[in-house]
Amino acid sequence: MPITFASAGSHAPGMTAWADAAPPAQKETLYGAYGHLRDRLARSGTEALIVFTSEHWANFFLDHIGAFCIGRGDSFSGPIEPWLRVDKAKVKGDPELAREIIEACYENGFEPGYSYELELDHGTMVPLHFLTPAMNLPIVPVMFNTLADPQPSARRCLELGRVIGKLAESSPRRIGIVATGGLSHDPGERNHGVIDSDFDRRFLAEMAAGDSERLAKYTRAELAAEGAGAFELLSWIALCGALNGAKGKVVAYEAVKPWATGIGMVEFDGEPVSA
Amino acid sequence: MSVYALQKLIRDVNRKPASREAYFEAPAEFARSYDLTDDERDALLKLDVGRLYAKGVHGLLLRPFTIIHSVSEPDYLKAIRGEN
């Protein structure tokens, strides 16, 4: 069954924690864009959501870092941040889908870690808050190491996405994929607050064009130049792989200074039950 | 010299309530159970944000650590940018 829903979007904690610090027009645009994606997801009849997301030292530390980790728990709690202004929730997992993803990875040249105990931070809970506010859609988190050096290469992320996308398409179930993170931002680092809109718009255009080859060539230096948080775009690149280079559409982009992040969203064609 | 032990201490304080309580109760004693250099221990106990950052503590460990010490964002950024 074709992937029923696919989108990529930012997860800056300011979007919920200090939402009103943003200029009202920017907030309205971005909340409207996430609302559009929420409606589309609801119409798609998606039964389970694979979430390509970032680890922010919530689950892992330098005592044990892997490039990717698949969440195969029955449920996942979050957010870990009491200040996020997102209600604490237990989000249902999908252990069977997680097992299928892990097996597909092992059969296709990837050996990701897996965990029954992942906790969710803003990286997952902010997008879920907007996309599935009732938190009633089972998820399989796929955590990317976007913090500890070295991170997996863009090409490997693209290829991992291809494996997971193929698995999702081969499933008789209605599966969606969401990528979260980015765009340019440098949280906790010297350039915190610096947003490179030119880069952000270019990256969004490449995502919307499904330009796999360009996306796979992003180097560590290119991403690092856009702030430490830009490594989260590796999950977006994986989404492009999962969709096999399908074209999409930029839903919105705003450089939001009070949220210290270039915030963007891209949607891709799924197969709506009714549109 | 790896900054691993220093980051481990900071991450434990950030993420583990029991560690956080023990740290705030007796910081020097808490720090003794981590293999810190003298300079790392000194920077930690003085909450010398600029020095901790320069030693390589990751921003997403250091910023939450300073938030629980009530360091404002402008003060934090000045410190890591060496503007103090």
Side-chain angles (χ1 to χ4, degrees), chain A residues 55-63 80 119 147-148 187-193 228, chain B residues 4 7-9 11 15 53-54 57-63 73 76-77 80-82:
Chain A
E55 163 66 10
H56 301 98
W57 304 121
N59 296 284
F60 303 114
F61 183 63
L62 299 168
D63 54 344
I80 63 166
E119 291 184 274
L147 291 183
E189 303 289 343
R190 284 198 175 92
N191 287 326
H192 177 77
Chain B
Y4 175 76
Q7 296 198 99
K8 185 175 172 66
L9 181 155
R11 202 264 186 172
R15 289 285 290 129
Y53 186 77
V57 177
H58 193 279
L60 283 181
L61 291 170
L62 188 56
R63 181 57 188 133
E73 185 169 288
Y76 173 79
L77 291 174
I80 68 169
R81 289 169 182 163

Side-chain angles (χ1 to χ4, degrees), chain A residues 8-23:
Chain A
S10 305
H11 62 224
M15 297 179 78
T16 54
W18 46 97
D20 291 335

